[in-house]
Amino acid sequence: LKGPVEMPGLFISFEGIDGCGKTTQVERVAEIIRGTGREVVSVRDPGSTRVAELVRNMLLDRGNSDIDARTELFLYLACRAELVERCIRPALGRGQVVISDRFSDSTLAYQGYGRMLGVELVREANRIATAGLTPNVTLLIDIPVNLARNRRGGKIVDRLEAEDGDFHERVRNGFLEIARREPDRVAVLDGTLPVDDVTNAILDTLALRVPVLLGDVIKSS
Ligand code: TMP
């Protein structure tokens, strides 16, 4: 299995519960890295390929409240297999920086911890779906469940967001558990801070963990 270590590119994933502010940060960080002259490929998981976008719509459609938990797991994994083979591996092979809005940790947190399908089972399933590809750095934006809900203005827009508070507590704690287990890969950012402060904390983290990527940006800011 080929891992990112053998590849010239760099793979960064963003994680967190719904409403943590991750998508805003993905956009900002992608722009900042582009500004350094590196080519950046931004993707979202599930999604970013034709088939994965179709499956994404099925997964997020609140009309599909009857999807079985294991079916849901396999649909997310199917999206990821597409994303890895069609977008991420080719981009890393070209030496590009790949930034993914969610990746395997979301499956572990939502299906493993949230749906309680079992952490070991989901870890193994993730390995199969990604053929072993793991991000070089994962930025976990942590925020209490209530604050995330308030930020969304109480609006429920998709099927997973419609789950109850206990589900989202398990997901949040699942993410934190992953970070405790893999501190070298996963950095935890305080998502309760103002947006600019979160961006700066992310840049500091990247400067520390992948100095080649942002050295000049940090020095000049
Ligand atoms: P988002 O892209 O807007 O964050 O929506 C994706 C939703 O799907 C979000 O509620 C988290 C959920 N999800 C899972 O349950 N498992 C997964 O593996 C992934 C990638 C996302």
Side-chain angles (χ1 to χ4, degrees):
L1 295 180
K2 267 181 121 190
V5 236
E6 306 155 51
M7 293 175 168
L10 186 81
F11 181 20
I12 303 168
S13 65
F14 281 72
E15 298 282 5
I17 60 173
D18 298 277
C20 72
K22 138 188 85 56
T23 306
T24 308
Q25 297 298 335
V26 168
E27 285 166 11
R28 288 177 158 219
V29 172
E31 266 324 291
I32 291 166
I33 297 176
R34 268 188 204 108
T36 70
R38 292 278 313 243
E39 280 183 52
V40 178
V41 175
S42 273
V43 295
R44 64 172 180 184
D45 184 10
S48 294
T49 75
R50 190 184 63 83
V51 168
E53 287 289 334
L54 292 173
V55 179
R56 177 188 173 90
N57 288 337
M58 287 169 48
L59 279 165
L60 301 189
D61 184 349
R62 290 187 67 200
N64 293 333
S65 58
D66 55 345
I67 299 182
D68 168 76
R70 261 181 313 142
T71 310
E72 179 184 278
L73 168 71
F74 282 109
L75 290 174
Y76 278 110
L77 296 174
C79 290
R80 183 150 320 115
E82 276 286 297
L83 181 64
V84 166
E85 294 316 318
R86 301 202 180 280
C87 296
I88 300 181
R89 270 190 210 281
L92 293 175
R94 291 191 295 267
Q96 294 170 328
V97 177
V98 176
I99 301 188
S100 191
D101 189 333
R102 299 193 181 281
F103 199 64
S104 299
D105 297 320
S106 278
T107 316
L108 201 51
Y110 281 83
Q111 281 66 50
Y113 289 92
R115 300 278 190 230
M116 298 190 279
L117 283 178
V119 172
E120 278 319 309
L121 180 141
V122 175
R123 273 188 199 283
E124 185 56 27
N126 270 336
R127 267 194 291 274
I128 295 168
T130 60
L133 185 74
T134 308
N136 298 94
V137 182
T138 296
L139 301 155
L140 169 60
I141 303 179
D142 179 56
I143 177 177
V145 171
N146 281 341
L147 186 56
R149 186 178 298 122
N150 292 344
R151 279 198 184 168
R152 297 200 308 264
K155 263 192 326 229
I156 290 173
V157 286
D158 70 42
R159 198 174 54 85
L160 277 287
E161 287 173 10
E163 287 294 327
D164 64 18
D166 285 352
F167 175 82
H168 291 285
E169 287 293 349
R170 288 197 298 276
V171 174
R172 181 192 182 199
N173 290 328
F175 275 127
L176 291 171
E177 184 57 35
I178 295 168
R180 273 192 291 273
R181 239 182 103 137
E182 297 178 70
D184 292 343
R185 173 175 67 86
V186 186
V188 184
L189 289 307
D190 180 357
T192 67
L193 297 173
V195 185
D196 286 344
D197 294 357
V198 179
T199 306
N200 286 331
I202 291 171
L203 295 179
D204 288 345
T205 302
L206 289 176
L208 210 66
R209 294 185 181 221
V210 266
V212 283
L213 186 65
L214 283 169
D216 293 343
V217 173
I218 297 293
K219 272 181 230 128
S220 61
S221 67

